[in-house]
Amino acid sequence: MEIFNTIPTIQYEGAKSKNPLAFKYYNADRVILGKKMKEHLPFAMAWWHNLCATGVDMFGRGTADKSFGAKEGTMEHAKAKVDAGFEFMQKLGIEYFCFHDVDIVPEADDIKETNNRLDEISDYIVEKMKKTSIQCLWGTANMFSNPRFMNGAGSTNSADVFAFAAAQTKKALDLTVKFGGKGYVFWGGREGYETLLNTDVKFEQENIARLMKMAVVYGRKIGFKGDFYIEPKPKEPMKHQYDFDASTAIGFLRQYGLDKDFKLNIEANHATLAGHTFQHDLRISAINGMLGSIDANQGDYLLGWDTDEFPFDVYTATMCMYEVLKAGGLTGGFNFDAKNRRSSYTVEDMFEGYILAMDTFALGLIKASELINDGRIDEFIAKRYASYRETEIGKKILANETSLEELSAYAEKLGAPALPSSGKQEYLESIVNNVLFG
Ligand code: XLS
Ligand code: CA
Ligand code: CA
């Protein structure tokens, strides 16, 4: 039975189209830099926002109906969400989904019963996957909503709660493998603290690493060949979250010997909450060989929290795609961890959110490839550091063949160095505008 019966399959109609239910820029088979758009942009649907979130906030009830014709909190509803999700992805040409364990079934009081429900629903999802060739990008366990996780999962003060976190991680890994998922995410939802007066930070961080190590051992044992990811976020729900940003997460992974099995899942909105640009966290991940996957959304610079909006900022998407192209693509994909605004509550809005997001990233890809082909920025950066390649002293520094003594004698001989060449930021910004709007 068709659920979104007022919505057609979404087609590419080009930039001149005024049809709200058509792509203006995302043309799956268009070739950019030798690869199809859909290969550059493995898009994924976030189960939790798209099929579960109704617009509930701290001040009011939901506005959107996500019952899909079934009674909420039942297995019929869980199945209706599967039906709705697969129809939604097919109509948009989205080839992947991401999920938390508790997105796909209502959680029972007893974990054994929750696991039985997960077995039942995952059989149903696998059937749908076979029929549609839709795949799983990544799975994860929700270890932050249930009250037992009030003090964290891996970082909890209770050994029993730690055991529950381990049990959920095990089951979510089983499901990810059952779905052939490419990745497994640890977003440290409540892995952090509110006050140091009650917190042993070292102990908590070591325990998070213990849980992750067990996940790697178990995952590899059951045949998980993909990447584990940490998804950094600086705050919310905790005041201090341990995985603050890309640099912090990379340091943690290296400290505990997890860097061979883990990469990062970088979310735009989390990078900006950390006081960085999205591009910054992508670059830091990429230069460390850790850029795995992306949660493609955007925040609001006027608000200090995680708004998970559908991305429409083409500048940011362009700089994101610039980083991704330079890094040689992602092993993961682009998960739209985004939700409609509370007052956009119709079925059309659900589709229009995804159309906006997919078009924004398509534009970002097109414009990033133009920036790369234009070449002026690359050329400028290469020239900016030329003194290290072109002068005797620069070559010695790069070859590690000099010392403080020698450089000090060299500096004294110079007396005063010439100023470094101009950074030319305004010129470079005008190139970006020129490529975007030229
Ligand atoms: C919350 C996170 C979360 C992760 C998956 O802020 O973005 O949704 O992506 O647990
Ligand atoms: Ca996310
Ligand atoms: Ca978020």
Side-chain angles (χ1 to χ4, degrees), residues 49 231 233 267 269-270 295 297 306-308 337:
H49 281 316
E231 181 182 322
K233 184 175 183 182
E267 177 176 314
N269 202 165
H270 297 181
D295 270 12
N297 62 9
D306 193 15
T307 57
D308 285 351
D337 193 354

Side-chain angles (χ1 to χ4, degrees), residues 81-332:
K81 288 199 284 184
V82 178
D83 295 339
F86 277 81
E87 186 186 320
F88 183 86
M89 290 186 274
Q90 277 188 294
K91 286 192 163 163
L92 282 156
I94 289 182
E95 296 181 343
Y96 296 90
F97 65 90
C98 300
F99 73 100
H100 300 82
D101 45 3
V102 304
D103 303 336
I104 59 175
V105 291
E107 197 179 2
D109 291 337
D110 180 318
I111 193 167
K112 262 199 245 151
E113 172 56 19
T114 306
N115 287 346
N116 290 338
R117 293 178 187 180
L118 286 167
D119 290 338
E120 184 185 337
I121 203 72
S122 54
D123 287 344
Y124 191 62
I125 292 176
V126 166
E127 261 175 55
K128 289 270 180 187
M129 291 175 74
K130 282 193 192 134
K131 279 189 205 139
T132 57
S133 77
I134 285 172
Q135 300 168 60
C136 173
L137 186 64
W138 53 256
T140 188
N142 176 328
M143 306 193 294
F144 43 89
S145 295
N146 192 301
R148 70 170 70 102
F149 296 121
M150 65 172 78
N151 296 328
S155 64
T156 180
N157 57 310
S158 155
D160 279 357
V161 173
F162 187 97
F164 270 85
Q168 264 186 258
T169 304
K170 175 179 179 292
K171 191 66 185 176
L173 272 164
D174 288 338
L175 296 169
T176 302
V177 169
K178 184 166 174 180
F179 296 152
K182 289 168 60 143
Y184 184 86
V185 164
F186 281 91
W187 168 59
R190 292 186 197 270
E191 312 289 32
Y193 67 88
E194 295 295 317
T195 173
L196 287 175
L197 292 173
N198 65 13
T199 304
D200 184 337
V201 172
K202 186 166 185 281
F203 182 88
E204 293 200 356
Q205 293 202 348
E206 284 168 0
N207 262 1
I208 295 171
R210 281 194 180 95
L211 181 63
M212 288 180 174
K213 275 189 191 149
M214 286 189 241
V216 170
V217 169
Y218 180 72
R220 299 306 179 213
K221 192 161 93 190
I222 62 168
F224 176 61
K225 300 214 166 44
D227 289 318
F228 290 87
Y229 303 122
I230 281 186
E231 181 182 322
K233 184 175 183 182
K235 57 187 170 192
E236 196 200 4
M238 302 309 262
K239 182 162 71 174
H240 301 271
Q241 300 243 152
Y242 292 133
D243 302 321
F244 189 91
D245 61 0
S247 283
T248 313
I250 291 167
F252 172 87
L253 289 172
R254 288 192 177 143
Q255 186 184 350
Y256 293 104
L258 290 158
D259 50 314
K260 299 286 170 294
D261 293 282
F262 274 77
K263 289 194 167 81
L264 301 183
N265 179 42
I266 297 298
E267 177 176 314
N269 202 165
H270 297 181
T272 53
L273 282 177
H276 302 308
T277 59
F278 182 25
Q279 188 183 6
H280 170 91
D281 257 18
L282 293 170
R283 176 74 61 92
I284 296 295
S285 309
I287 62 171
N288 284 286
M290 292 270 189
L291 179 55
S293 204
I294 286 179
D295 270 12
N297 62 9
Q298 83 182 42
D300 186 318
Y301 287 105
L302 300 181
L303 301 176
W305 62 90
D306 193 15
T307 57
D308 285 351
E309 295 174 30
F310 285 104
F312 88 108
D313 176 348
V314 176
Y315 277 95
T316 302
T318 300
M319 298 328 289
C320 165
M321 292 314 298
Y322 183 78
E323 294 302 320
V324 170
L325 289 173
K326 291 259 173 195
L330 298 176
T331 46

Side-chain angles (χ1 to χ4, degrees), residues 2 4-10 21 87 91 347-349 351:
E2 198 180 1
F4 303 107
N5 51 18
T6 58
I7 310 285
T9 296
I10 309 300
L21 294 174
E87 186 186 320
K91 286 192 163 163
V347 159
E348 284 73 22
D349 292 313
F351 281 84

